[in-house]
Amino acid sequence: MTRNILKWGLLAIVVGLALYLILALYAQREFVFAMLFLVLTASAVFVFVDRRMYAHRYIYPAVAGMTLFVIFPLMYTVGIGFTNYSASNLLSFDRVQENLLGRTYQSESVRYGYELYQTDTGYVIYLEGQHQNLQSPPVSLDSGDAESVPVLPVSSAPQGEPLGMREIIKNRKSLGVLKLETEDGRQLTMVGLRDFGAIQPLYEMSENGALTNQRTGVTYFPNHDTGFYQNAEGERLTPGWTVNTGWDNYEKVITDPTISGPFLQIFAWTLVFSVGTVIFTLILGLLLANLLQWDQIRGKGFYRTMFILPYAVPAFISILVFKGLFNQNFGEINLVLENLFGVRPDWFSDPTMARSMLLIVNTWLGYPYMMLLCMGLLQAIPRDLYEASAMDGAGPINNLMNITFPLMIKPLAPLLIASFAFNFNNFVLIALLTGGAPDIIGASTPAGTTDLLVSYTYRIAFQDSGQNFGLAAAIATVIFVVVGALSLINLKLSKVKV
Amino acid sequence: MAMVEPRSTKYRVLASHLGMLCFIALILFPLLMVISISFRSGNFATGSLLPESPSLEHWFLALGIPYTDAAGNVTQPPFPVLLWLWNSVKIAVVSSILILALSTTSAYAFARMRFGGKGFVLKSMLIFQMFPPVLSLVALYALFNEIGDHVSWLGLNTHGAVIVASLGGMALHIWTIKGYFDSIDRSLEEAAIVDGATTWQAFRYILLPLSVPILMVVFILAFIMTIMEYPMASILLVDTDKLTLAVGAQQYLYEQNYLWGDFAAAAVLSGLPITLVFLYCQKWIVGGLTAGGVKG
C-alpha cells in the first residue's frame, strides 16, 4: 500500500515538474525543446505505468539519455545546417521586431530649455517650451538611477534663483538618466546641457509589417529569405532573425572558393592524418606485441608496463607537455636537435613540420591501445603454426607476413575502422596542440593547415567573430554522413549479433 | 617454446632487448623531462635533464601556496590546480556511478528479457555512439541554455550539466556489460525465480554479485573517460573555479602567458594519481577492452 502511494506520488511529482518545464518552454516559443520534453515525459509515463512495458523500464533511462544528449543534438545540428543561425541572426523574428520597435531616438523638433532650482526637499526642474512651461516635483539627484518623473504645466517659474552652469555640470550624470513624463505620455530626456527633448520610438510599424524610420523616413521591409529588415537599396538592419535558407550553406561550401578551397584541403589532411595514425600505431603496436609474445624475452611485465605508460598518462596532459617540448625557441626537443644535428625546425609555423609533429605525438599517444589489442588477438593464434614454420626454416619476417598478419587482420579490421573514425574526429589533440595553426592564407572562415574537419567546424561555430552556426552545422552534417557510413561498414564487418 | 631454434636466436634476443630499452628511453623522454622541468627555477629556462639549480617554487604554486623567493618577492599561485582536480574527480565519480547504475540495469534487460525493438535499439545505440559530440556542441549548448533557464543546477556553467551530458556516452558500457551478462548461465537466475524470487531479486542477488569484475572495469573506464573529457566541459564551464582539470590545464600555455614551469609541476601533481590508478587497474582494463562488447 505504502509502496503504491510512494510510486504514484513520485510519478506525479516527476510529471508535474516535467509539465512545468514544457509549459515554460512553450511560453518562450521554444517549440522544438518543448516538443522534445513532451515526448520524453509521455514515453516515461507510458513505460512506467503500462505493465506490458516492464522490460522497457530497465532501459528507459539509458535510452532517454541517449535521445536527449546524442540523437536530439544530432538532429538539431542537421536542422541548423539549413538555417542562417549565426551571431547576426540569433533571434526569432518576433524578438527582432520587439528589439527594433523598442529603439528610440531624440526628436529635434520638440525641445525645452530648462532651469534647475534647489528647494528644501530636492531639485526642481523647470522647462520652458514654445507653447507651454512644465515643472517637476522636487527630486533628489543623488541616486544617479534612472527615474521617471511626472511633469505638469505651470504658468510661471518657481521662486528663487536658478542654479548656475557649475551645479548643472556637477549633476549632469543624474540629469542625463532622468525621464520626464508629460501628461500626454511623451517622455523627455536631456539632449544637451541647456535642453530637454522628447524621445520617440525610432521605428513605426505599418499595416503590412514594414518599419519606417521616423528620423530618416526610410522604410524597411522584412525579408524572410535573408532574415533581415531591408530597404529598397538592400541595406540591412541588425540584428536579423533566423530563417530557413535551404541548401545555401552546402552550396557555399561547394561554390565559394574561399570556403571550398580550405574545406577540401582540410578534408584531405583529415584523411591523411587518420590513415597515417592508424598505420603508424598499428605497425608499432604489432611489433611490440610480437616482441612481448616471444618466449625468449625475459621481464615481460616490466616492458609491458613501460610500453603502456603513454596510454596511462591523461591525454590532455601529455598533449600539453608535447606542446611545450616542441616549442620553437625554448622547447627541449629543439634544444636536443640543435645540439645533435644543428637544426631548429619551426614546428608550429611550418605546415609540413606541424603536420609531422601531430603524427608523431598521436603515434606516441595511440600505439599502446593497438599493442593491447594485438596482444589480445595474438593469444588466439595457435602456437603449432609457428612450430611448423620453424621446421620449414622460416624466419620471424616470414612468420609475421604469412601467419600472424593474415590471421589477425580479420578480427582487427573493425577495430581499425573504429580507430580511424576516432582519429577522424580527434578534436582534443588539435585543439590542445596546434589549435589548427598555421592558418590557411586566403580563407574567409578560420581555417588552419593542421585543422581536422571537427576542429574546423568548432572554430567556425565558436571562435570566429561571426559565429556562423549554420555553416558549422552544415559541415558537421557532412561529417555525420562520413562517420555514419563508416560505422555501418564497421557493423557489417564485425557482424554484430544481438 | 619452439622445438627448433636457429643459432642466431641468442643475438636476436639481445637485439630485441636493446631495441626495446632504446624505445622505452624514447617513450619516457617527455615524461621525465616534465618531472625535471617542474623542479627547475623560472618559467623559461632550458637546461639539462637533471636540474642545475633545483627549486620547489613550481611545486609550491601547484599546491596553492604562495612562493617567496630568495630576494623576498612573493609569487601567487596562477591557477587553482587542486580545485580543478577536485572538480574533475567530483564530476567523474558522480557521473561514473550514474553511468554504472543505468547501464547495468539496461544491460540486464537487453541480456535477459525479450521485448519489442530490442535488436533495433541495441544496434542504433552502437551507431549513434560513433558520432562525436564535438559536432553537436551548438545544439548541446542551446539545450543546456534552455534547461538552465528553468532548472538552475543543470544550466550552463554548472557541474550538473557536465555530469548529465556525460550520460550520453553510455551505449558502449551497456554493450560491454551485456557481453559479460551473456556469458553467465541464465539457469542460475531461472532457478531463483522458480524458488519464488522476483525478476529484480534475481538480478540483485544472483547476477550482480557474479558481475563485480566487469562492473569494476566499466566504472574505471567511465571514470577515465569523464576525467579526460575536454570539448563539452570547455563549452559548458566558464568560471575559473568551476573548470575541470582538462579545460583548466591549457591555460598555463597561452602564447602571451607561457608558464612552462608552473604547468610542469601542476601536470605531474594532477596527472600522477590518474596514471597510477590506470597502471594499477591495467590488467582488468585490458580484459575489459578485449573481453566485453563487440568481439571480432
Side-chain angles (χ1 to χ4, degrees):
Chain A
M1 187 61 196
T2 359
R3 227 185 130 87
N4 251 335
I5 295 174
L6 202 72
K7 183 178 147 194
W8 290 106
L10 210 67
L11 198 69
I13 292 172
V14 171
V15 170
L17 281 176
L19 282 180
Y20 160 75
L21 189 67
I22 293 166
L23 276 179
L25 284 171
Y26 183 79
Q28 284 188 359
R29 302 204 183 109
E30 295 289 352
F31 301 121
V32 183
F33 288 100
M35 200 63 203
L36 170 73
F37 286 108
L38 189 65
V39 169
L40 281 179
T41 317
S43 52
V45 171
F46 179 57
V47 164
F48 282 94
V49 170
D50 194 337
R51 282 229 152 261
R52 281 167 305 166
M53 305 297 279
Y54 184 76
H56 292 88
R57 290 182 200 177
Y58 285 88
I59 62 165
Y60 179 78
V63 173
M66 287 281 294
T67 314
L68 193 54
F69 299 112
V70 180
I71 300 174
F72 171 74
L74 216 76
M75 303 292 172
Y76 196 72
T77 306
V78 173
I80 293 174
F82 291 99
T83 68
N84 63 349
Y85 193 44
S86 65
S88 59
N89 296 60
L90 207 54
L91 306 172
S92 64
F93 177 62
D94 297 324
R95 292 264 196 94
V96 169
Q97 211 171 48
E98 230 168 82
N99 176 307
L100 290 174
L101 287 176
R103 290 190 189 181
T104 54
Y105 77 110
Q106 284 163 338
S107 163
E108 292 291 326
S109 55
V110 185
R111 259 174 190 270
Y112 290 90
Y114 75 97
E115 303 281 5
L116 198 59
Y117 291 85
Q118 192 158 27
T119 66
D120 299 336
T121 45
Y123 294 92
V124 167
I125 302 160
Y126 173 69
L127 302 168
E128 272 175 355
Q130 283 169 318
H131 309 295
Q132 60 176 170
N133 299 334
L134 303 166
Q135 187 182 326
S136 77
V139 285
S140 142
L141 289 181
D142 304 329
S143 64
D145 294 334
E147 289 188 74
S148 236
V149 179
V151 285
L152 296 170
V154 286
S155 48
S156 63
Q159 304 270 307
E161 275 296 300
L163 294 173
M165 204 58 189
R166 263 184 53 198
E167 290 291 315
I168 289 180
I169 290 176
K170 223 173 81 186
N171 288 309
R172 186 165 53 175
K173 240 182 145 179
S174 317
L175 284 169
V177 294
L178 218 54
K179 282 201 174 92
L180 304 181
E181 231 163 286
T182 63
E183 273 180 316
D184 50 352
R186 280 178 306 161
Q187 283 196 327
L188 307 174
T189 55
M190 196 166 82
V191 288
L193 279 174
R194 288 254 166 243
D195 297 294
F196 264 74
I199 340 172
Q200 292 187 331
L202 184 56
Y203 295 103
E204 194 160 82
M205 190 157 71
S206 51
E207 296 272 308
N208 59 2
L211 296 181
T212 308
N213 187 322
Q214 299 292 303
R215 188 151 51 176
T216 57
V218 182
T219 305
Y220 294 87
F221 298 95
N223 184 337
H224 284 284
D225 289 330
T226 59
F228 285 102
Y229 272 102
Q230 289 177 319
N231 66 8
E233 280 87 56
E235 196 190 325
R236 292 168 169 185
L237 293 179
T238 52
W241 61 95
T242 312
V243 293
N244 208 326
T245 53
W247 294 92
D248 271 15
N249 286 317
Y250 297 91
E251 260 181 57
K252 242 191 256 172
V253 173
I254 296 169
T255 54
D256 185 346
T258 59
I259 296 178
S260 66
F263 178 83
L264 286 179
Q265 193 182 336
I266 288 170
F267 188 69
W269 159 240
T270 308
L271 288 180
V272 170
F273 170 81
S274 14
V275 171
T277 304
V278 170
I279 292 177
F280 290 148
T281 51
L282 178 64
I283 291 177
L284 204 54
L286 187 61
L287 198 76
L288 293 175
N290 266 309
L291 279 174
L292 286 183
Q293 189 77 2
W294 198 11
D295 306 320
Q296 308 283 331
I297 298 284
R298 307 239 162 266
K300 281 186 188 136
F302 164 77
Y303 283 123
R304 195 177 79 159
T305 311
M306 285 294 142
F307 289 158
I308 285 179
L309 262 184
Y311 195 45
V313 179
F316 62 89
I317 286 184
S318 27
I319 295 171
L320 287 172
V321 166
F322 274 108
K323 184 179 179 179
L325 291 179
F326 273 107
N327 188 295
Q328 210 156 309
N329 300 316
F330 37 85
E332 279 69 10
I333 288 179
N334 267 4
L335 198 77
V336 171
L337 286 181
E338 191 169 39
N339 284 337
L340 291 180
F341 309 107
V343 287
R344 222 172 220 291
D346 22 356
W347 296 104
F348 287 93
S349 45
D350 182 77
T352 320
M353 295 318 288
R355 286 170 175 169
S356 338
M357 173 178 74
L358 282 174
L359 280 175
I360 293 171
V361 172
N362 209 25
T363 306
W364 189 91
L365 288 169
Y367 83 85
Y369 174 71
M370 284 291 179
M371 185 184 81
L372 290 177
L373 291 180
C374 290
M375 277 164 62
L377 294 173
L378 279 177
Q379 306 282 350
I381 299 178
R383 308 302 304 159
D384 42 353
L385 287 177
Y386 295 103
E387 299 284 322
S389 79
M391 295 284 250
D392 290 342
I397 308 273
N398 271 328
N399 278 344
L400 184 70
M401 297 313 286
N402 295 323
I403 303 176
T404 317
F405 202 68
L407 281 173
M408 276 180 73
I409 195 66
K410 227 184 142 201
L412 205 55
L415 297 165
L416 291 184
I417 292 178
S419 164
F420 176 86
F422 174 80
N423 283 300
F424 194 86
N425 298 309
N426 198 335
F427 171 75
V428 177
L429 177 74
I430 306 296
L432 292 184
L433 193 56
T434 64
D439 277 342
I440 295 174
I441 300 158
S444 63
T445 50
T449 45
T450 58
D451 261 327
L452 300 181
L453 281 174
V454 255
S455 58
Y456 177 53
T457 318
Y458 177 87
R459 285 173 74 187
I460 294 175
F462 291 105
Q463 279 186 356
D464 190 12
S465 53
Q467 296 209 322
N468 200 337
F469 299 126
L471 185 64
I475 295 175
T477 308
V478 174
I479 306 179
F480 286 149
V481 173
V482 175
V483 174
L486 278 176
S487 50
L488 279 179
I489 296 173
N490 206 0
L491 216 57
K492 276 263 172 327
L493 272 178
S494 50
K495 295 201 186 69
V496 176
K497 283 187 207 80
V498 285
Chain B
M1 187 168 283
M3 289 188 299
V4 186
E5 282 180 12
R7 241 177 300 155
S8 58
T9 304
K10 211 170 136 192
Y11 299 104
R12 272 199 234 141
V13 171
L14 205 66
S16 314
H17 274 295
L18 264 178
M20 286 200 286
L21 287 175
C22 286
F23 184 73
I24 288 174
L26 204 66
I27 290 302
L28 288 187
F29 170 75
L31 304 176
L32 293 179
M33 212 60 220
V34 167
I35 297 174
S36 148
I37 291 159
S38 74
F39 287 106
R40 265 187 221 154
S41 53
N43 269 318
F44 286 105
T46 45
S48 56
L49 194 57
L50 288 172
E52 284 132 15
S53 53
S55 131
L56 284 177
E57 96 179 67
H58 302 307
W59 280 93
F60 272 99
L61 297 181
L63 289 168
I65 308 165
Y67 177 77
T68 318
D69 65 11
N73 303 315
V74 180
T75 321
Q76 290 298 326
F79 299 112
V81 187
L82 291 178
L83 183 65
W84 288 346
L85 185 61
W86 165 239
N87 286 345
S88 286
V89 170
K90 189 174 74 180
I91 290 175
V93 166
V94 175
S95 65
S96 313
I97 291 174
L98 285 176
I99 287 176
L100 194 62
L102 293 181
S103 52
T104 310
T105 44
S106 323
Y108 175 62
F110 281 125
R112 290 293 193 261
M113 295 174 181
R114 290 158 57 100
F115 52 87
K118 180 166 128 180
F120 173 75
V121 175
L122 266 176
K123 272 196 184 177
S124 45
M125 281 203 309
L126 205 59
I127 290 183
F128 279 117
Q129 204 67 80
M130 294 279 277
F131 295 104
V134 189
L135 294 175
S136 11
L137 276 184
V138 175
L140 280 168
Y141 186 87
L143 180 62
F144 280 105
N145 197 8
E146 280 308 321
I147 301 179
D149 283 350
H150 309 287
V151 190
S152 57
W153 55 271
L154 267 183
L156 298 176
N157 204 17
T158 62
H159 290 160
V162 183
I163 291 172
V164 171
S166 69
L167 297 187
M170 225 164 0
L172 211 68
H173 304 306
I174 295 180
W175 271 91
T176 312
I177 300 177
K178 176 186 171 286
Y180 193 87
F181 282 172
D182 283 339
S183 70
I184 297 176
D185 194 351
R186 71 167 72 197
S187 58
L188 285 171
E189 297 145 67
E190 275 159 12
I193 291 175
V194 168
D195 284 348
T198 60
T199 323
W200 172 256
Q201 281 169 334
F203 167 63
R204 168 73 187 77
Y205 295 108
I206 310 286
L207 194 58
L208 269 195
L210 285 172
S211 323
V212 172
I214 197 70
L215 299 185
M216 280 289 293
V217 170
V218 167
F219 184 83
I220 295 165
L221 285 178
F223 183 84
I224 289 173
M225 271 164 78
T226 337
I227 275 222
M228 305 226 186
E229 204 283 328
Y230 171 78
M232 213 115 76
S234 79
I235 287 297
L236 293 180
L237 302 175
V238 184
D239 295 342
T240 308
D241 56 348
K242 284 271 172 64
L243 297 185
T244 60
L245 199 59
V247 182
Q250 63 157 342
Q251 304 208 351
Y252 278 101
L253 298 183
Y254 280 135
E255 214 46 65
Q256 296 80 12
N257 188 21
Y258 207 78
L259 305 170
W260 187 211
D262 292 344
F263 166 75
V268 177
L269 177 77
S270 50
L272 209 56
I274 306 173
T275 310
L276 290 180
V277 168
F278 190 98
L279 285 180
Y280 178 72
C281 305
Q282 56 158 310
K283 261 185 235 156
W284 301 309
I285 294 175
V286 174
L289 277 178
T290 43
V294 195
K295 279 183 215 164

